[in-house]
Amino acid sequence: MSWIHSVLFLLLTCRWCVVTGESSPEVTDDGAPMEKTEREALYSAIQGFVGDSWNGSDLYPDPCGWTPIQGVSCDLYGDLWYVTDLTLGIVHENSLPCVTSLEIKPQLFKLKHLKSLTFFNCFTAEITIAKEDWINLGSSLESLEFRSNPGLNGELPETIGSLTKLKSLVVLENGFNGKVPASLCNLTMLQRLVLAGNLFNGTIPDCFNGFKDLLILDMSRNLFSGTLPLSIGEMVSLLKLDLSNNQLEGKVPQEIGFLKNLTLLDLRNNRISGGLFENVFKIRSLTDLVLSGNPMGSDDDDMMGLKWEDMGSLVILDLSKMGLRGEIPSGLASLKRLRFLGLNDNNLTGTVPSKELETLPCLGALYINGNNLTGELGFSRNFYEKMGTRFKASKNPNLCLRIVSESHQQCVGLKPCMMEKTEGGLVIKQTWSNLKKDDDESSSSTGVMVTRHVLSNGFIWDLLLLELSLVLVLYYYY
């Protein structure tokens, strides 16, 4: 029986050899070993973007080895090399430029281990991306980016929602329009989702409850409308939320207060209303809070009742053009890291807490112009010199400068304050058109003080008193 066993063993061995030979891929024998189908797919995919005249096999015979292609990276799987990263478009000086009449060839979707795919300024002529084939990359692709492709139009393919291993989806400054496909809700492994600078419209999908790992959500500069989704508070890992420059309306949901790790909240230039919301002040990690250009102001809601001391991490605070009422709270002085404060073009009233705001050590820009502020602006000369043109207080009819030089007055855009005193039957009003000289300055510096005497009979004359010479100029007015 031993010979029978020997024959059976030989038959099984030969069968295994045949089967193995049939399933083994054909491998390149020059340079880094690759499947020939992988290398040919790479050549064909790139040729579709850079033109038929490009001959990859001649120019780059070993694309994963000694003749690498700019924008292509490879990695080793088993004993063979496969393409893992592919960037198309002029990212670097020696990158391969895309032609106008490009073609997305099906071989692109046959790269078995492709993890990252980027199109940068590649689609300049109008083109619509087909829905098919994307599912073929679902088992490997982790990053997909469309950056600065003005020719990309139509809707974002819904089959992108089948790329469930994606960690980064960037669709930035293209021509995509229509509604965001609901299939994007399947991409729960995302850490970065950027859909900014397109023409997307409709409502923002309310399906963020599964996005526990999302760090960045940027849907700015589109045409999104409707209210903010309630599930926005479910993204507990979120660091940056930018929904600016859309057509969003309604109130900000209270669930936003659950975003305890958020550092940037930018909702500027929408139609969000309902007043400043206290739930935002539960997010003590915020460094950038930009709410400008939303009609949030109301009669019952002003800045004074908010706990600014809880927002000590703020670096940028922009509350301009919101219709805010009430006074500027002195509690803003507790924001010791603040560098930018924008309160312009509101309905703020009362006096400016100049001394308190001047104590902010990092403040480099302050805008309070376009309000109804009153009284004297009492910042020091050093403050005005430090700020320069980054300080604006104009268009406050009843606000004046207490002490100011001509250059500072022009920069700030306010009139000098009048000082009134009564001497006998005279009401004397004095204004400074130059800063008083500091004690440590040279005695030769000149300051000009204008003294206006108002008589009971209606005559007025102005006295110009110079520090170095007394020159009397008499003007009569009726």
Side-chain angles (χ1 to χ4, degrees):
M1 295 292 291
S2 59
W3 65 273
I4 298 176
H5 292 156
S6 299
V7 171
L8 290 174
F9 176 78
L10 290 172
L11 290 172
L12 291 173
T13 302
C14 291
R15 183 182 178 185
W16 178 85
C17 291
V18 172
V19 173
T20 304
E22 290 176 350
S23 61
S24 297
E26 190 175 359
V27 178
T28 60
D29 55 4
D30 52 342
M34 298 179 65
E35 284 190 35
K36 284 189 176 181
T37 55
E38 176 83 1
R39 188 172 66 175
E40 294 304 319
L42 175 63
Y43 291 153
S44 181
I46 294 178
Q47 190 179 56
F49 285 91
V50 303
D52 294 337
S53 61
W54 185 81
N55 192 328
S57 59
D58 289 342
L59 297 171
Y60 307 95
D62 188 16
C64 290
W66 60 277
T67 58
I69 304 174
Q70 180 65 42
V72 177
S73 298
C74 303
D75 205 349
L76 197 62
Y77 288 83
D79 296 327
L80 300 177
W81 291 89
Y82 292 88
V83 177
T84 54
D85 300 334
L86 178 58
T87 298
L88 297 162
I90 304 180
V91 178
H92 305 287
E93 290 184 0
N94 57 343
S95 298
L96 298 174
C98 297
V99 296
T100 303
S101 56
L102 57 80
E103 177 187 1
I104 304 176
K105 293 188 175 182
Q107 285 81 0
L108 173 66
F109 305 96
K110 294 181 180 180
L111 300 173
K112 297 179 180 179
H113 297 282
L114 191 62
K115 289 185 176 181
S116 176
L117 178 59
T118 299
F119 304 95
F120 180 80
N121 196 24
C122 215
F123 302 91
T124 55
E126 289 192 9
I127 187 173
T128 300
I129 295 181
K131 299 178 181 179
E132 297 77 16
D133 298 324
W134 287 100
I135 193 171
N136 296 333
L137 299 176
S139 62
S140 62
L141 202 63
E142 296 179 0
S143 175
L144 176 60
E145 299 190 4
F146 298 93
R147 293 179 178 266
S148 303
N149 296 281
L152 279 181
N153 54 32
E155 297 184 355
L156 193 67
E158 61 182 14
T159 47
I160 288 180
S162 64
L163 306 175
T164 54
K165 289 193 174 182
L166 277 183
K167 295 180 180 179
S168 175
L169 176 59
V170 176
V171 184
L172 177 64
E173 295 177 351
N174 303 285
F176 286 115
N177 52 52
K179 295 183 178 181
V180 172
S183 61
L184 292 191
C185 298
N186 301 328
L187 308 179
T188 55
M189 294 183 65
L190 281 176
Q191 297 177 6
R192 177 172 60 170
L193 176 57
V194 177
L195 303 178
N198 291 278
L199 298 171
F200 292 121
N201 55 44
T203 58
I204 297 176
D206 191 4
C207 61
F208 293 111
N209 50 303
F211 289 68
K212 305 299 183 183
D213 298 323
L214 194 64
L215 302 176
I216 298 174
L217 177 59
D218 185 353
M219 306 178 78
S220 62
R221 293 178 287 138
N222 282 288
L223 301 172
F224 288 117
S225 58
T227 58
L228 274 67
L230 297 180
S231 61
I232 207 166
E234 301 282 343
M235 298 179 289
V236 293
S237 300
L238 201 63
L239 299 177
K240 296 184 178 182
L241 175 59
D242 189 348
L243 302 176
S244 62
N245 295 291
N246 280 288
Q247 299 173 6
L248 300 171
E249 55 190 10
K251 295 183 178 181
V252 174
Q254 61 181 4
E255 286 81 2
I256 203 168
F258 300 147
L259 304 179
K260 301 300 183 182
N261 297 308
L262 198 66
T263 59
L264 180 145
L265 177 60
D266 191 347
L267 301 177
R268 82 184 91 171
N269 297 332
N270 279 286
R271 301 171 183 173
I272 298 172
S273 59
L276 282 175
F277 36 97
E278 295 183 1
N279 290 305
V280 170
F281 288 79
K282 297 178 181 179
I283 313 175
R284 301 189 178 187
S285 55
L286 277 176
T287 60
D288 298 65
L289 178 58
V290 183
L291 305 175
S292 58
N294 287 287
M296 288 187 178
S298 66
D299 293 333
D300 300 325
D301 191 10
D302 57 41
M303 300 176 64
M304 297 296 291
L306 300 174
K307 297 181 179 179
W308 293 101
E309 62 272 13
D310 293 341
M311 305 296 287
S313 298
L314 278 179
V315 175
I316 294 177
L317 177 61
D318 190 353
L319 304 178
S320 59
K321 301 178 182 179
M322 295 176 60
L324 295 178
R325 301 175 183 273
E327 300 182 5
I328 299 177
S330 57
L332 291 173
S334 62
L335 307 179
K336 299 302 182 182
R337 297 181 180 180
L338 199 64
R339 295 182 180 179
F340 178 96
L341 178 57
L343 301 174
N344 53 287
D345 300 300
N346 283 295
N347 295 313
L348 297 175
T349 55
T351 58
V352 178
S354 304
K355 293 183 179 179
E356 290 83 355
L357 293 178
E358 191 165 350
T359 63
L360 294 173
C362 301
L363 191 64
L366 174 60
Y367 299 97
I368 56 175
N369 50 294
N371 285 286
N372 294 310
L373 300 169
T374 58
E376 298 179 351
L377 202 58
F379 293 108
S380 69
R381 176 178 182 176
N382 290 335
F383 178 83
Y384 295 123
E385 291 177 347
K386 169 188 172 183
M387 291 294 177
T389 58
R390 297 184 302 277
F391 174 72
K392 299 293 182 184
S394 59
K395 298 181 181 179
N396 285 283
N398 298 311
L399 186 64
C400 63
L401 289 175
R402 184 175 61 194
I403 299 176
V404 69
S405 70
E406 290 184 5
S407 60
H408 293 152
Q409 181 182 350
Q410 293 174 358
C411 180
V412 176
L414 292 178
K415 61 187 179 183
C417 297
M418 303 288 292
M419 298 180 293
E420 288 190 9
K421 64 180 181 179
T422 303
E423 293 183 0
L426 299 178
V427 178
I428 302 175
K429 296 184 179 182
Q430 296 175 324
T431 65
W432 285 87
S433 60
N434 267 327
L435 285 174
K436 291 181 178 179
K437 65 179 182 180
D438 296 328
D439 293 337
D440 58 348
E441 289 186 352
S442 170
S443 59
S444 62
S445 61
T446 60
V448 181
M449 183 170 66
V450 178
T451 303
R452 174 165 289 181
H453 294 254
V454 182
L455 299 179
S456 57
N457 63 1
F459 285 99
I460 301 175
W461 70 87
D462 292 342
L463 299 178
L464 295 172
L465 302 178
L466 299 181
E467 293 181 1
L468 296 182
S469 61
L470 292 174
V471 180
L472 181 62
V473 181
L474 188 61
Y475 295 89
Y476 288 91
Y477 299 90
Y478 284 96

